[in-house]
C-alpha cells in the first residue's frame, strides 16, 4: 500500500522560534518514516507583508537549514520552496474563482492581520487561505500538521476541495488537519495567554532558534509565572508555569505528571533554570548543524532543487487534471 501523504509549510517571514520547532518541525521529524512528506517554505505567502528582498531570500534558506538541522532527512522528505513549483500560484488563481468573498471575510487571521497592518491590507492577505488550499490540494495530501491557529484555513481548504469535487467529480483528496500533542501551543514567555510569535514586540516573550545559550537562560529567568511557587499543570489558572512545563515536557519527553513530581517542593527559580538548561541542551546540536549548513549553500541548493523537482511531478499531475476538468487547454 502506498504511504499517506503529508504536506505542511512555514512562512519565510521572520526568525523561527522554539514554538515553530516544538509545535511543528520536531513533530514532522517523527513522521518521516511513516508518510510521504512534503515540507515547503511558504515564501509566496510571505509577500502579504512588506519584506526586505535580501532578508526574504536569507530567511528562505535559513528555514531549509533549520528543517535539515532539526532532523528532517532530505533523502526521505521533499523539502522545497513554494515559489519554485509554479503550480502553486497557478492553482491558487484557479481556486480563487471557487472561493467566496464571504468565507474569506470570516477568517480570523485576516481580521487580526488587517488590524496589525492597517496601512497594507492587500488582496494577497485576503486570499492567503486560497493559496494555502492550493499548496495542500496539489499534493492530494491526506494529513496536514498545523498549529491550532491554522485550523480555520484548513477548513476552508476542505470546503474548496469538496465544492470542486461536487461540480467536477472526485478531483482532490479531502485533507485532514492534524494537531499534534504540543500542537503549536507553545505560548509566549511574557504573555503566556497568547501563542509564542516571531512577530512579538517584546523580545523576551520569544525564544528564537538562533538564540545563544546565555540569551535563552536570561529569557527563561524572566518568564512570567505567578505567586504560588508551586509547579503544577493548570493552563487555566497558571498559564505561565504550565507553558514552561509544556516546554520542559516536550524537550525531555516527559509527561506533565512526571514534571510535577520532579519539581515538587522546588521553587520557580530552580525550575526556570532547569527548563532553560533542557532547552539549551536540545537546541545546541541543532544550532551547530544549522551553522554548518548555512556555510554550505551548494548543499542547501541541491536539497531544495531536488525537493522542487519531486514536488512538481505530483503538483503538475493534479493541476493538469484540474485544467482538463474545467476546460483550460493544456
Ligand atoms: N499559513 C501557514 C502559517 O502561517 C503556512 C502555510 C502555508 C501552510 N501553506 C501551508 C501550512 C500549507 C500548512 C499547509 O503557518
Amino acid at each position: 500500500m502506498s504511504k499517506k501523504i503529508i504536506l505542511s509549510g512555514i512562512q519565510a517571514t521572520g526568525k523561527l522560534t522554539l514554538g515553530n520547532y516544538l509545535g511543528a518541525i520536531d513533530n514532522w521529524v517523527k513522521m518521516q518514516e511513516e508518510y510521504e512528506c512534503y515540507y515547503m517554505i511558504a515564501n509566496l505567502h510571505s509577500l502579504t507583508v512588506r519584506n526586505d528582498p535580501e532578508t526574504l531570500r536569507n530567511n528562505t534558506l535559513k528555514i531549509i537549514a533549520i528543517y535539515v538541522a532539526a532532523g528532517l532527512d532530505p533523502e526521505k522528505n521533499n523539502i522545497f520552496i513554494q515559489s519554485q513549483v509554479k503550480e502553486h500560484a497557478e492553482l491558487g488563481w484557479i481556486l480563487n474563482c471557487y472561493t467566496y468573498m464571504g468565507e474569506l471575510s470570516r477568517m480570523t487571521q485576516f481580521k487580526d492581520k488587517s488590524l496589525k497592518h492597517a496601512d497594507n491590507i492587500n488582496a494577497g492577505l485576503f486570499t492567503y487561505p486560497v493559496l494555502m488550499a492550493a499548496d495542500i490540494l496539489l499534493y492530494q495530501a491526506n494529513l496536514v500538521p498545523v498549529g491550532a491557529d491554522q485550523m480555520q484555513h484548513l477548513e476552508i481548504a476542505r470546503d474548496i476541495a469538496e465544492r470542486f469535487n461536487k461540480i467536477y467529480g472526485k478531483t482532490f483528496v479531502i485533507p485532514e488537519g492534524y494537531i499534534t500533542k504540543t500542537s503549536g501551543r507553545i505560548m509566549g514567555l511574557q504573555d503566556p495567554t497568547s501563542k509564542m510569535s516571531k512577530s512579538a514586540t517584546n523580545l523576551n516573550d520569544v525564544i528564537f532558534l538562533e538564540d545563544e545559550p546565555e540569551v535563552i537562560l536570561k529569557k527563561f529567568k524572566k518568564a512570567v509565572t505567578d505567586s504560588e511557587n508551586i509547579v503544577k499543570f493548570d493552563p487555566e489558572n497558571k498559564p505561565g508555569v504550565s507553558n514552561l512545563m509544556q516546554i520542559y515536557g516536550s524537550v525531555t519527553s516527559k509527561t506533565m505528571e512526571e514534571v510535577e513530581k520532579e519539581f515538587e517542593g522546588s521553587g520557580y527559580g530552580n525550575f526556570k533554570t532547569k527548563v532553560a538548561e533542557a532547552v539549551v541542551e536540545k537546541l545546541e546540536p541543532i544550532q551547530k548543524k544549522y551553522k554548518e549548513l548555512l556555510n554550505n549553500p551548494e548543499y542547501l541548493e541541491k536539497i531544495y532543487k531536488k525537493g522542487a523537482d519531486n514536488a512538481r511531478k505530483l503538483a503538475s499531475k493534479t493541476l493538469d487534471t484540474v485544467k482538463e476538468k474545467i476546460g483550460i487547454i493544456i
Side-chain angles (χ1 to χ4, degrees):
M1 218 183 76
S2 61
K3 288 181 177 177
K4 285 197 168 178
I5 298 177
I6 282 190
L7 176 129
S8 198
I10 293 183
Q11 274 206 60
T13 328
K15 295 192 274 185
L16 288 191
T17 70
L18 185 63
N20 293 125
Y21 173 65
L22 294 178
I25 307 169
D26 193 35
N27 293 308
W28 300 353
V29 173
K30 295 170 193 150
M31 301 192 279
Q32 60 190 357
E33 308 295 337
E34 218 180 310
Y35 297 91
E36 182 180 336
C37 299
Y38 292 84
Y39 294 120
M40 49 167 227
I41 295 85
N43 61 341
L44 294 175
H45 278 108
S46 300
L47 300 178
T48 54
V49 297
R50 291 282 172 263
N51 299 281
D52 166 51
E54 200 50 36
T55 310
L56 178 57
R57 248 187 303 270
N58 285 334
N59 279 341
T60 306
L61 296 178
K62 280 180 173 182
I63 295 179
I64 294 167
I66 282 283
Y67 280 179
V68 177
L72 284 182
D73 181 344
E75 295 298 323
K76 293 185 183 146
N77 301 275
N78 301 295
I79 297 172
F80 67 101
I81 302 173
Q82 183 187 33
S83 60
Q84 294 200 330
V85 182
K86 296 189 168 70
E87 284 77 1
H88 290 247
E90 216 175 326
L91 184 64
W93 168 257
I94 293 173
L95 296 183
N96 266 326
C97 305
Y98 293 86
T99 310
Y100 298 109
M101 303 280 285
E103 46 190 353
L104 290 174
S105 312
R106 286 196 291 276
M107 297 292 113
T108 52
Q109 194 171 78
F110 171 68
K111 292 189 230 172
D112 291 349
K113 288 199 175 169
S114 309
L115 285 175
K116 242 167 117 182
H117 305 279
D119 55 337
N120 183 21
I121 306 176
N122 57 66
L125 197 62
F126 190 63
T127 61
Y128 181 113
V130 184
L131 180 59
M132 182 161 156
D135 298 338
I136 297 167
L137 301 180
L138 274 176
Y139 298 92
Q140 307 290 359
N142 304 97
L143 275 188
V144 183
V146 282
D149 64 317
Q150 293 297 314
M151 271 318 256
Q152 209 186 15
H153 291 164
L154 191 81
E155 280 303 320
I156 212 172
R158 290 166 57 92
D159 291 345
I160 296 169
E162 274 166 8
R163 183 172 303 145
F164 195 96
N165 285 353
K166 215 161 146 196
I167 308 174
Y168 301 101
K170 183 143 183 7
T171 310
F172 297 122
V173 167
I174 309 297
E176 300 283 338
Y178 176 66
I179 299 201
T180 40
K181 254 201 289 157
T182 36
S183 83
R185 292 317 271 172
I186 300 295
M187 313 303 269
L189 298 185
Q190 293 298 315
D191 175 9
T193 60
S194 57
K195 195 176 120 166
M196 182 180 281
S197 159
K198 47 191 169 189
S199 51
T201 39
N202 183 346
L203 290 185
N204 286 326
D205 199 51
V206 29
I207 304 285
F208 292 108
L209 291 182
E210 292 180 0
D211 281 347
E212 298 290 335
E214 315 81 68
V215 178
I216 294 178
L217 187 64
K218 210 180 74 206
K219 287 181 178 176
F220 275 110
K221 284 270 182 201
K222 287 191 181 148
V224 165
T225 48
D226 52 59
S227 55
E228 264 188 1
N229 223 19
I230 299 169
V231 179
K232 191 169 143 251
F233 191 66
D234 179 357
E236 189 89 348
N237 299 304
K238 295 165 73 66
V241 169
S242 302
N243 184 39
L244 293 177
M245 289 178 71
Q246 200 132 52
I247 292 173
Y248 187 74
S250 308
V251 294
T252 59
S253 304
K254 287 177 183 163
T255 64
M256 291 303 100
E257 294 82 63
E258 286 168 336
V259 180
E260 275 176 12
K261 269 230 179 75
E262 185 175 343
F263 293 101
E264 215 176 282
S266 147
Y268 288 162
N270 169 54
F271 171 54
K272 286 177 174 178
T273 308
K274 287 278 161 50
V275 177
E277 283 169 1
V279 168
V280 167
E281 198 182 323
K282 179 91 180 180
L283 292 188
E284 254 177 349
I286 297 174
Q287 292 178 330
K288 188 165 163 266
K289 181 114 197 266
Y290 169 71
K291 282 182 193 152
E292 285 167 14
L293 286 164
L294 281 182
N295 282 326
N296 194 350
E298 294 83 19
Y299 178 58
L300 289 179
E301 186 178 333
K302 244 199 199 131
I303 293 172
Y304 67 71
K305 285 220 159 125
K306 185 172 138 253
D309 286 345
N310 278 337
R312 208 174 291 120
K313 282 182 204 146
L314 192 47
S316 63
K317 202 165 138 229
T318 304
L319 184 63
D320 281 353
T321 307
V322 167
K323 287 177 168 173
E324 193 88 56
K325 292 197 175 194
I326 61 178
I328 298 286
I329 295 173
I330 296 170

